[in-house]
Amino acid sequence: MDRRQKKTREAIFNAFTALLSEKNYNQISVQEIIDGADIGRTTFYVHFETKDFLLKELCEELFNHIIDTALGLPQDHYHCSCANEQDSVFLHLLRHLQENDRNILELLSSQNNEIFLRYFKENLKKLIVSQYIESGIIKNPSLPEDYLVNHISSSFVETVSWWIAGKMKVSPEKITEYYLAVIEPIIS
């Protein structure tokens, strides 16, 4: 992707996330995103087929960043200032949520968050596979791998929902500690 395309894409993301801080996802129109990004309709559709695809890409960008950080790869996009390679990917993700990168909390706590939660869980599964299953950190011969991945990702989504409902009063480090204590018996 050339520099101009990256700049346009970033303008679209910025317009979209600014709108998310003001209203629910389902209330945002493509025209509002286009106006906020100061681009034409055709340009929007060159980058994103629909608003749902924009949401999916926003979620994937967050997860790709976390995977890249965990692998020690250089960052060429926004990143959480508190991340480092030794952090658990779960802690890293919670820190992004705490910082509300890309207004992700508005997506998680909105009334119409089903689409985002589906993308969130899909990407979380990929993250778990790449960081834990493929590296052999998580293995339990008595349980099917896909069951383990689904359970771990579903449990994390519920943990995040609980944390947000509690106004995120508990630190990301403590939430990660709670979460890992709960999943530890099934992963070893």
Side-chain angles (χ1 to χ4, degrees), residues 66 69-70 72 80-89 91-92 95:
I66 292 167
T69 300
C80 181
S81 58
C82 53
N84 70 61
E85 294 172 38
Q86 289 73 45
D87 286 343
S88 155
V89 292
L91 175 58
H92 189 158
R95 285 177 175 161

Side-chain angles (χ1 to χ4, degrees), residues 5 11 14 24 49 59 64-65 70 90 103 108 114 117 129 133 137 144 146 159 162 165 171-173 179 188:
Q5 290 172 317
N14 289 339
N24 281 337
E49 213 172 294
C59 188
N64 288 339
H65 160 72
F90 299 112
N103 293 323
L108 277 169
E114 299 88 22
L117 285 176
V129 168
I133 301 293
I137 294 172
D146 60 335
T159 298
W162 174 82
S171 73
E173 292 78 10
Y179 178 70
S188 39

Side-chain angles (χ1 to χ4, degrees), residues 143-160:
L143 298 172
E145 186 177 285
D146 60 335
Y147 174 79
L148 263 175
V149 171
N150 187 67
H151 180 75
I152 292 167
S153 61
S154 297
S155 176
F156 189 74
V157 168
E158 288 303 315
T159 298
V160 169

Side-chain angles (χ1 to χ4, degrees), residues 46-163:
V46 163
H47 289 272
F48 304 101
E49 213 172 294
T50 64
K51 182 176 76 167
D52 289 352
F53 277 91
L54 170 58
L55 176 60
K56 182 178 182 182
E57 289 291 320
L58 185 69
C59 188
E60 286 180 357
E61 181 183 272
L62 172 64
F63 280 88
N64 288 339
H65 160 72
I66 292 167
I67 290 170
D68 289 352
T69 300
L71 295 174
L73 299 174
Q75 304 299 310
D76 63 349
H77 55 280
Y78 83 98
H79 58 87
C80 181
S81 58
C82 53
N84 70 61
E85 294 172 38
Q86 289 73 45
D87 286 343
S88 155
V89 292
F90 299 112
L91 175 58
H92 189 158
L93 185 51
L94 289 168
R95 285 177 175 161
H96 274 284
L97 293 173
Q98 183 182 48
E99 290 183 0
N100 200 17
D101 280 346
R102 305 285 193 182
N103 293 323
I104 203 165
L105 290 177
E106 283 77 7
L107 287 167
L108 277 169
S109 58
S110 74
Q111 293 173 330
N112 306 98
N113 65 0
E114 299 88 22
I115 297 169
F116 177 75
L117 285 176
R118 186 175 75 232
Y119 293 143
F120 187 77
K121 190 173 173 186
E122 285 173 16
N123 281 283
L124 188 56
K125 284 180 177 181
K126 291 178 195 171
L127 184 65
I128 291 164
V129 168
S130 73
Q131 296 301 297
Y132 292 95
I133 301 293
E134 291 175 354
S135 65
I137 294 172
I138 294 178
K139 54 185 165 191
N140 187 325
S142 64
L143 298 172
E145 186 177 285
D146 60 335
Y147 174 79
L148 263 175
V149 171
N150 187 67
H151 180 75
I152 292 167
S153 61
S154 297
S155 176
F156 189 74
V157 168
E158 288 303 315
T159 298
V160 169
S161 296
W162 174 82
W163 185 50

